[in-house]
Amino acid sequence: MFERFVTPLLFFIAWLFLLLVTLSVPIIKSLNLFHINADVEVGVSVVSASAKVAINYACAFTFLALLFALLASFRANQSKSRIPSLLASGFGIFAALLTTIVFIVDVVFVSIVKSKLKDHTDGAATANYGAAVWLVLVAAILLWVASFGACCGILKTRRARRAEAEKY
């Protein structure tokens, strides 16, 4: 049941979170990487471009994993879902790895901005983590769990084939 219903749902939620983070810069202004609280005007126009490019790729690979997980769940009754489960697992693990790396880069980037801001303004301005960082963390966790579920789908299909072969 886990690999049939929960795995595609987790891939979908992770894909939705990554899509929101991807669209956060051009469209959704309230989903940002960090907030700056300052009594003085502070100009910070640095964006971690590599993390934004990587999050686009992670979003695309998550979508591919979602499609293969859906295909595997539709073919689960036919005992022919091993290849889609394998592809969902592979794309899911790659997307989870990429999303985890993006999360680490985002945390390091925001920590550096916080440190530099504190040093240059003598504590008059502070920076806090934005919602995008936490959405990436939740997406990474969901991707790891969903990838584990896709791996369970591979093993379950093998057992179903073995049991079917013993019938005859």
Side-chain angles (χ1 to χ4, degrees):
M1 175 170 153
F2 179 80
E3 68 278 351
R4 185 162 181 198
F5 298 112
V6 178
T7 299
L9 179 67
L10 293 178
F11 276 131
F12 176 73
I13 294 170
W15 172 72
L16 188 65
F17 285 170
L18 291 175
L19 185 66
L20 287 173
V21 172
T22 301
L23 297 174
S24 67
V25 172
I27 297 173
I28 307 168
K29 301 296 182 192
S30 62
L31 277 178
N32 46 18
L33 208 52
F34 56 89
H35 300 284
I36 296 177
N37 303 323
D39 294 334
V40 295
E41 189 169 319
V42 178
V44 178
S45 61
V46 179
V47 177
S48 58
S50 62
K52 285 299 174 186
V53 169
I55 202 73
N56 293 337
Y57 286 118
C59 187
F61 283 112
T62 302
F63 186 71
L64 289 174
L66 170 65
L67 291 178
F68 287 118
L70 285 172
L71 182 64
S73 70
F74 288 134
R75 296 179 69 169
N77 292 338
Q78 303 168 359
S79 296
K80 296 179 183 177
S81 64
R82 189 170 184 186
I83 292 176
S85 291
L86 182 65
L87 290 171
S89 178
F91 282 117
I93 289 171
F94 186 71
L97 186 63
L98 200 56
T99 304
T100 304
I101 291 169
V102 167
F103 171 71
I104 292 169
V105 167
D106 284 348
V107 167
V108 168
F109 175 72
V110 173
S111 297
I112 290 171
V113 167
K114 285 176 70 168
S115 174
K116 297 282 185 184
L117 192 62
K118 185 177 179 183
D119 291 344
H120 290 297
T121 62
D122 296 326
T126 59
N128 298 322
Y129 292 97
V133 176
W134 305 119
L135 282 175
V136 171
L137 173 64
V138 171
I141 292 169
L142 290 174
L143 283 170
W144 283 114
V145 172
S147 297
F148 174 75
C151 288
C152 289
I154 296 168
L155 297 175
K156 183 179 177 188
T157 304
R158 177 184 286 173
R159 275 191 237 134
R161 282 189 180 172
R162 198 175 289 162
E164 191 176 301
E166 289 175 1
K167 266 195 223 179
Y168 299 110

